[in-house]
Structures are given as structure tokens and as C-alpha cells.
Amino acid sequence: MMRSIQPKDYFKQAVAIIMCCWLGFPLGVAALLQSKKVRHLTVDGELTQAQEASRLTRTLLFIGLALGLVGWSLLVTVVLIYCLTTEDQSAVESLQNNDDKYNIRVYYW
């Protein structure tokens, strides 16, 4: 007796991509819809089509994850560059203005 393997629907992974990867969000939504299709095809007994839909879901998730990682990397890079290159001295000036009031000594190196 041959036993068929149930295809994986990747539902939880699709939700994680939607929640965490803002640049991969559209692909996460597509993967979520494809995941629902995998479930319905599996219930209907169309395992060959369900396995093909499962592979497409996995592909969408990997591409969405890659885009999400690139997006977060770009965001962190831009924020770090801004923080390291900004000439905004308002925090230092507010400390200098409040030195006498709170008897705080500010050292610069």
C-alpha cells in the first residue's frame, strides 16, 4: 500500500513574513493565499497540485524573506549613517545650557 505525503502549507511562515519583513510584505500575502490553496487542494485529495502549490509557496517565502532582510539591512545602514554623520548638536547644547542649573559637568573628547 502506497502512502502519499501531505504537502506542507507554510501558513505560519507566511504570517511571520507578513509581520516581520516589511519589504517582503506583498510576497508574504501572496504566500498566505497560496498556503490556503494548498490546504484546500490537500483536503480535496488533489495532492499533485497541492505539492506544486506548496513549492510555489516556499519560493514566495524565500524571496519575501530575502527582500525583508535586505530592507532591514538598508534601514539599519541608513539610520547608522545618519546618526554618525549628523551635525545636530542640540543634545550637547541642551546639556551645556543646563550645566549650571543641575551642577553637571560635561566632558568632551
Side-chain angles (χ1 to χ4, degrees), residues 44-58:
D44 292 343
E46 300 176 13
L47 295 179
T48 305
Q49 291 177 345
Q51 288 172 347
E52 291 174 9
S54 178
R55 280 193 294 271
L56 178 59
T57 304
R58 186 181 63 213

Side-chain angles (χ1 to χ4, degrees), residues 58-109:
R58 186 181 63 213
T59 302
L60 290 171
L61 287 173
F62 282 137
I63 295 170
L65 179 64
L67 286 175
L69 291 175
V70 167
W72 279 111
S73 299
L74 286 174
L75 178 68
V76 168
T77 303
V78 167
V79 168
L80 283 175
I81 289 173
Y82 175 77
C83 289
L84 294 174
T85 60
T86 186
E87 294 296 324
D88 184 18
Q89 295 292 323
S90 59
V92 173
E93 290 171 5
S94 67
L95 282 175
Q96 287 173 342
N97 293 338
N98 291 326
D99 277 352
D100 298 331
K101 183 177 178 182
Y102 298 109
N103 199 13
I104 297 173
R105 201 167 284 280
V106 180
Y107 298 99
Y108 303 101
W109 54 94

Side-chain angles (χ1 to χ4, degrees), residues 2-22:
M2 189 172 175
R3 186 174 170 208
S4 60
I5 298 173
Q6 299 292 328
K8 191 171 181 181
D9 64 359
Y10 299 102
F11 180 79
K12 293 176 185 175
Q13 292 88 342
V15 171
I17 293 293
I18 291 171
M19 300 291 284
C20 299
C21 300
W22 52 272

Side-chain angles (χ1 to χ4, degrees), residues 29-48:
V29 171
L32 187 67
L33 296 174
Q34 195 70 18
S35 170
K36 187 175 179 180
K37 182 178 178 181
V38 171
R39 286 184 178 185
H40 287 294
L41 288 171
T42 302
V43 169
D44 292 343
E46 300 176 13
L47 295 179
T48 305

